[in-house]
Amino acid sequence: MQSERPPLKLAILALVALASLIGIVLGQEPESRQPLEPPDTSSPRATLQTLIRLTREGYGYWSSPKGRTFTNMAERTAVGNQLSYCFDLHDIPPWLQDNVARETAVYLKEVLDRIHLPPTNQIPDVEMIEKMPGGLPQWTIPHTEIVLVRLKDGLRAGQYVFSSETDERARDYYLRARHLPYKPDATVDLYDHFTSEPGWLIPRDLIRALPEWAKARWGDQTVWQWFGLVLTLLVAALVMFGTYRMGGSFSGSEAGVRYYLGIVFPVLAMLVPGMAAYFLDQGVFITGRLFIVVAFALDLISLGALVVVIIGVANRIATAVGSLHWFRPRSVDAQLIQLAVRVFGVGGAVVAVLEGGRYLGVPLTTLVAGASVSGLAVALAAQDALKNLFGSLMILLDKPFEVGDTVKIKGYEGEIENIGLRSTRLRLGSGHVVTIANAEMASLDSENVSRRAHLRHKSLIHLDPDTSPEKVHRAVDIIRTALQDHEGSHATRPPKVHVSGFAPDAVTVSMTYWYHPPDATLFAVFNERVHLASLAPVWRVYDDALCQLLGAGAAAP
C-alpha cells in the first residue's frame, strides 16, 4: 500500500496543477476579447503582417461554403474596420473609408501573393527603427512602388500606413501583377471571391444556380451584378416617384389631419436612396469606382429629399401654430411666428446641406464659399424680392395694420385681405383686389381706419340771418338736450354745440359729437335717428325755411 501513495500524491498534485493552469488560462482575456485594441501598425513589418492576417481572415468568410451571411456580418465588419488602420484615408469621406480599405487591401494582398518579399527579419520593425538616426519616415517594398509612411499628426502619430498614393494606385498594381503565378500559401482568387460573391441579402445558392454567362465578368462587375444594379435603381426611382405622387394626392390642402400625415410620404421617399445603396453594398455587392459613383449619387438624392422633408415639416409646424386657438389665424402675430418657423426650416435645410456635404467628402470651406458666392449672386439678382421680404418683416414687426383692418394708402381704401412675403392684398369697397408690394407698404404713409378709437360727426346748421337771438339760443339748447348722454357717448369727449359764426346770409350753428365704439353701421343708424328725432323740436320752433336750413348739415369723417 505504501508503494501506491507516491503515484497517488503525484496524481493529486498533477490535478491541482492542471486546475491552477486552467484557472490561469480562463482568468486571462484572449486577444479576440479586446474589441477596442487597434491592430498593430507600429512598424512596416507590423503593418504588413496585419494586412496579411486580416485579409486571410476576410478570405475565410468570403470563400466559405456559406459566404457572406447575416450571422458573420459583425465579424466581417470588424475586419473591415481594422483594415482601415493600415491605410492613409484622411482624404476619403467617412462613409467610404471602410469600403476603400477593404478593396485596397484585396488589391494589395493579390499583389503580395505574387511578388517576392524580403525576408521578415529584413523588414523594419520597432527595434530596427529605434536604431536608425532620425527614425524611418517611410519604407518602400523593394522593387515596387508600394510605400508605407509614418503618420506625423493626429492620434495615430508614429504609426505606419500605406501611403495615399499607394491606395489610389492599388488597382493598377493588381492589374499589372495578376498575370504572375501565386506563391505557396496564397489566398487564391481572393479578388474574385471578394467581388463576385453576393452580400448577405441575396442567397449564395441562388447566384451559383445562375447560368455561366450571368457569372461572367464584364468590367469590374459580373453580368448578374449589372442586372442587379439596373433593377435596383429602377425600382428605387419608381418607388420614390410613386411615394411623392401618393403624398401629394393624400395631403390635399393645408387643412385637416391628412395634411400633417402627408409628411410621412416624403420621409419614406427620403429613405429609399439609402436603402438602395445598402442593398447594392450588402446584396448585389457592387465594388470599385462604380459603387462610389452610384452611392454618392444616391446619397445626394437622399440629401435633397431630406431638405424637402425639413421644409415640409417647417411648413406644417407653421400651419399648426397659426391655427392654435390663442392666435387669430390671420393675425400679424400668427404670421410672424409662421414666418419665423419657416426661416428656421430654411436654416435647418442649409445646415443639413453643409453637414451632408461634409459627410460626402466635400470640404466645409468649399461649401461655405459656394454658399456665399451663390448667396451674393442671388442677392444681386433678386434685389426687389429682398426689398419686399424686408418690407414684410418690417410690417410684421411694426404692425401698422393687420389682416382684416381697413386702411387708406396710395389713394386706395380697403380691407387688408392678406400680408404675404412679397406683397399685401387690399379688398376695396367695390370688390376689386389691389396688390401692393410690401416694400411700398412699409415705406409709404398709411391710415389705419379700423384702429380709430371713435367715430366723429360734425354738422353745420345755417339759420336765417333774421332769426332772433332768443330763437337761436333756444335752438342751441334743444340740440344740446338731444345730444346729452347720447348713445355711444364718452365722458372724455362730450358733444359740442355752439354758434360758430355770423354771415350776411346765415347764422351758423356747429354740432359735433363722437360715437363709441367705432361701429360704422350703428353710427349711421344713430346719425339718422338724431337728425329725424332729436332735431324735430327745433323744426317746430322755427318756420319751414328753418327746417330746410336744418337739413343742410354735412357729415364729417
Side-chain angles (χ1 to χ4, degrees), residues 274-296:
M275 296 171 63
Y278 185 79
F279 182 75
L280 293 176
D281 184 32
Q282 299 296 330
V284 184
F285 207 79
I286 300 297
T287 57
R289 293 183 177 88
L290 177 63
F291 175 76
I292 295 176
V293 173
V294 173
F296 184 81

Side-chain angles (χ1 to χ4, degrees), residues 310-369:
I310 293 175
I311 298 298
V313 170
N315 290 336
R316 282 162 174 80
I317 293 176
T319 303
V321 169
S323 62
L324 294 176
H325 66 276
W326 57 78
F327 283 118
R328 285 186 296 161
R330 300 171 66 185
S331 66
V332 173
D333 290 335
Q335 293 195 8
L336 182 60
I337 294 178
Q338 290 175 337
L339 177 62
V341 172
R342 289 188 172 95
V343 169
F344 276 112
V346 173
V350 171
V351 172
V353 170
L354 294 178
E355 286 297 316
R358 184 183 63 83
Y359 174 76
L360 293 176
V362 182
L364 185 60
T365 54
T366 302
L367 291 171
V368 173

Side-chain angles (χ1 to χ4, degrees), residues 381-397:
Q383 296 185 45
D384 292 338
L386 292 176
K387 289 180 181 178
N388 292 327
L389 176 60
F390 285 111
S392 63
L393 290 176
M394 295 302 298
I395 292 172
L396 294 176
L397 292 174

Side-chain angles (χ1 to χ4, degrees), residues 15 17 27 59 89 92 98 176 213-214 243-245 259 275 294 330 344 346-348 370 404 409 434 445 488 491 495:
L15 289 175
Y59 178 76
L89 303 174
I92 304 297
D98 286 348
R176 290 160 54 185
W213 64 265
T243 303
Y244 275 114
R245 288 292 299 270
Y259 171 69
M275 296 171 63
V294 173
R330 300 171 66 185
F344 276 112
V346 173
I409 188 171
V434 176
D445 295 333

